Amino acid sequence: MFLSRDLRAASDRGPTSDFWYQPILSANGPVSPDQALRLSVVWACVKVLSETVGSTPIKLFRRLPNGGKERARDHPLYTLIAQRPNRWQTAMEWRELMQGHLSLRGNAYAEILTDARGRITDLVPLHPDRVRVEVTDGGFPRYRVRDGKSERMMLWSEMLH
């Protein structure tokens, strides 16, 4: 059995209940996202979510003085968001991966890379298991990212979370 608790025993099933955030346990302990993907129903759900989000086009718009809007194809981020977020992924592949991370691990992260002028050039996905979020004294998030055996800190302005 995969459930750590009797589903009939809990009385609070509201959307903010802690019930939904308790770990799922198997006979061998907690079920990891990788183990969960071995279940065909989990794999199918993650696939449907990821492919749906991945295939949804993202378009940037600008507001017009008359209250209307128009597509902002000349915006510096248009190509990055709509077509090529980094040098090796299409926008669809990137969005599928980010949604997969979000579905299985509850978070999705991408490092924001810039050129010498400060223009955003790439959104590089990071594995959520390698990122830890901390909050500074000022209330801003910062990110501790493990790269192999080393670790680096990233500011909130360097991360798409």
Side-chain angles (χ1 to χ4, degrees):
M1 177 154 203
F2 285 102
L3 299 176
S4 62
R5 60 215 172 268
D6 185 352
L7 290 177
R8 295 165 291 171
S11 61
D12 180 17
R13 296 287 193 273
T16 59
S17 169
D18 287 343
F19 171 82
W20 301 108
Y21 300 98
Q22 296 173 14
I24 296 176
L25 301 176
S26 70
N28 298 326
V31 176
S32 73
D34 294 329
Q35 291 170 321
L37 270 180
R38 293 183 191 140
L39 296 171
S40 60
V41 69
V42 173
W43 183 85
C45 288
V46 171
K47 181 179 187 302
V48 166
L49 280 169
S50 298
E51 288 179 351
T52 301
V53 169
S55 64
T56 303
I58 294 180
K59 300 171 184 166
L60 295 179
F61 291 90
R62 76 170 48 87
R63 293 193 189 278
L64 298 175
N66 66 2
K69 63 182 179 179
E70 69 179 2
R71 196 178 279 182
R73 287 190 170 106
D74 59 341
H75 191 282
L77 295 178
Y78 184 85
T79 302
L80 191 73
I81 297 289
Q83 298 171 0
R84 182 78 60 191
N86 55 53
R87 293 180 180 101
W88 63 92
Q89 289 179 306
T90 65
M92 183 175 176
E93 292 168 339
W94 183 81
R95 289 191 304 264
E96 283 181 1
L97 177 65
M98 297 297 280
Q99 181 60 49
H101 284 170
L102 184 61
S103 296
L104 289 169
R105 290 173 164 82
N107 277 299
Y109 304 98
E111 182 176 359
I112 300 170
L113 299 182
T114 58
D115 62 14
R117 292 183 178 173
R119 293 179 298 206
I120 298 174
T121 59
D122 293 282
L123 297 172
V124 178
L126 299 172
H127 197 288
D129 291 352
R130 296 183 179 169
V131 179
R132 239 184 36 220
V133 182
E134 300 173 351
V135 179
T136 64
D137 292 338
F140 292 101
R142 67 178 176 195
Y143 302 88
R144 190 176 298 273
V145 180
R146 284 189 326 271
D147 294 323
K149 294 183 181 182
S150 66
E151 198 173 80
R152 60 192 167 113
M153 293 298 288
M154 295 177 65
L155 301 174
W156 65 272
S157 58
E158 300 171 308
M159 184 77 75
L160 176 63
H161 177 190

